[in-house]
Amino acid sequence: MISATFAGFWLVFLTTVYVFWERLSVNAVRYILFSVLIIYQIRWGSAWLVLPPQELPVAVIASLLYTPMLLMVLGLMEGQRTGVIVGMSIALFMAITAQVGSLRPEVAEVALGDPRVGTLIFLLITVYVFIGNAQAVQQTLLEERGKQTKLMQTQANSDPLTAMLNRRGLDVAITDLLLKQKPFGVLMIDVDHFKKLNDTLGHAVGDSVLSRISTIIKSSVRDSDIAGRWGGEEFLVLCASGETSQILGFGERLRAQIELKSQDGEAPVTVSIGVSISLNEPFDNAVERADKGLYQAKEDGRNCVRACWPEV
């Protein structure tokens, strides 16, 4: 009678949890798992110490099957340290209870030939399937949250106008490049007469120009290169090359592409480019030299590429 009542309670309880699973918070799931674990330990202890010995086989099988699964899930949720502490405490309680309960004369005479075992095993497998499905649902939710987190990180590192890396995203990329300890090219690109264009034709046209130039830059760089919007009308390209001639040639090709392809737009524009190279040094040094090259390009009439290499 007690086993049947307990099985009925367990079935109703699991059904309720399954129906409301997606609405449950992590804390609610935690409390449910702890509650079920405590219920099974009460069932285990009462079967050994208090209840008629006929209840022992079913209680033992149920507890030995469920308790490890519950402890495993709790360990995954709470971490290794808490999982070990809870697990050792439960193991100690079950060992002491069984040791004391086995001294009861009536318990010693009980065999495990209980006709309810088959039905119980069926219920246990059904419950195991429920737990597996519930875990799969939880895993799906975690994956979805992971995708959302990745999307948020991408949005935080992207410039909304050009869809290129923003200053923050470039900082991350620069850190990765510096960790490789290999030389790489630095190209600082500035739109010529952009302030005049904005004042004359309006910010909407200015935004369109920046978007068009970013598209040209993205289509011109290689997969190994990194491009982003440095700020305002400035773009930064990190070229995966340690040869000064290749860096300078790439800058010239990029300038020519922008001049050629931007002529079809509402406001034809050109760019000035300053190039340098980063040689296992603070990145600010390379940027400062690229800025000097950009300043020289503007002094020389704009729409050109000028280099400022480090002194060796």
Side-chain angles (χ1 to χ4, degrees):
M1 181 63 184
I2 295 175
S3 296
T5 303
F6 188 77
F9 161 78
W10 183 236
L11 183 61
V12 173
F13 177 78
L14 278 180
T15 302
T16 304
V17 172
Y18 183 79
V19 171
F20 295 100
W21 180 261
E22 294 185 358
R23 304 179 187 178
L24 296 176
S25 64
V26 175
N27 283 334
V29 174
R30 181 183 292 113
Y31 295 146
I32 289 172
L33 289 174
F34 272 111
S35 299
V36 173
L37 185 61
I38 292 172
I39 290 172
Y40 266 107
Q41 298 318 299
I42 294 174
R43 174 81 165 120
W44 172 273
S46 61
W48 280 104
L49 303 176
V50 179
L51 297 176
Q54 290 79 9
E55 294 293 330
L56 185 59
V58 176
V60 169
I61 293 174
S63 297
L64 290 179
L65 283 175
Y66 278 124
T67 301
M69 289 191 295
L70 291 169
L71 291 176
M72 179 185 68
V73 177
L74 283 172
L76 291 173
M77 292 187 63
E78 301 297 322
Q80 185 179 14
R81 185 173 184 274
T82 302
V84 170
I85 292 175
V86 174
M88 292 298 293
S89 301
I90 294 297
L92 183 62
F93 170 79
M94 294 177 71
I96 293 175
T97 304
Q99 185 67 32
V100 173
S102 64
L103 299 177
R104 296 169 60 193
E106 60 272 30
V107 171
E109 299 175 359
V110 176
L112 289 179
D114 194 295
R116 296 167 294 180
V117 171
T119 303
L120 179 62
I121 293 297
F122 173 78
L123 291 175
L124 291 177
I125 296 300
T126 302
V127 171
Y128 181 79
V129 170
F130 161 78
I131 293 177
N133 280 280
Q135 184 179 7
V137 171
Q138 189 70 9
Q139 182 65 30
T140 301
L141 291 175
L142 291 175
E143 291 175 358
E144 289 297 326
R145 290 173 184 172
K147 292 178 182 178
Q148 292 176 0
T149 301
K150 186 176 180 180
L151 177 61
M152 292 175 63
Q153 290 175 343
T154 301
Q155 292 174 342
N157 293 334
S158 299
D159 174 57
L161 175 63
T162 62
M164 303 177 79
L165 291 175
N166 58 15
R167 188 68 171 264
R168 176 179 173 179
L170 284 169
D171 286 341
V172 174
I174 291 165
T175 301
D176 291 339
L177 280 177
L178 293 175
L179 289 175
K180 295 179 181 178
Q181 297 185 343
K182 292 182 179 180
F184 58 90
V186 179
L187 292 80
M188 189 70 69
I189 305 165
D190 186 87
V191 182
D192 295 330
H193 304 295
F194 185 74
K195 185 178 185 303
K196 181 179 178 181
L197 183 149
N198 252 344
D199 293 342
T200 304
L201 301 178
H203 290 283
V205 174
D207 288 346
S208 176
V209 167
L210 293 177
S211 180
R212 190 165 68 250
I213 290 177
S214 71
T215 300
I216 298 171
I217 293 175
K218 286 185 288 187
S219 64
S220 301
V221 299
R222 300 166 297 181
D223 292 339
S224 56
D225 300 330
I226 297 169
R229 186 180 179 187
W230 191 244
E233 69 273 21
E234 288 187 337
F235 298 88
L236 183 72
V237 175
L238 307 178
C239 178
S241 173
E243 297 292 333
T244 56
S245 59
Q246 292 182 8
I247 298 170
L248 189 59
F250 176 69
E252 181 56 40
R253 290 193 300 274
L254 185 58
R255 181 207 63 78
Q257 284 289 317
I258 292 174
E259 181 181 19
L260 176 64
K261 294 182 179 180
S262 67
Q263 300 308 309
D264 299 332
E266 183 178 356
V269 294
T270 60
V271 296
S272 299
I273 302 178
V275 302
S276 188
I277 188 172
S278 178
L279 298 173
N280 298 328
E281 59 184 324
F283 184 70
D284 289 345
N285 296 349
V287 170
E288 183 178 352
R289 291 194 299 270
D291 266 332
K292 289 181 180 179
L294 178 61
Y295 178 79
Q296 188 61 49
K298 290 184 176 295
E299 286 290 306
D300 292 346
R302 295 182 170 84
N303 192 24
C304 59
V305 181
R306 296 293 181 264
C308 181
W309 306 117
E311 297 181 3
V312 179

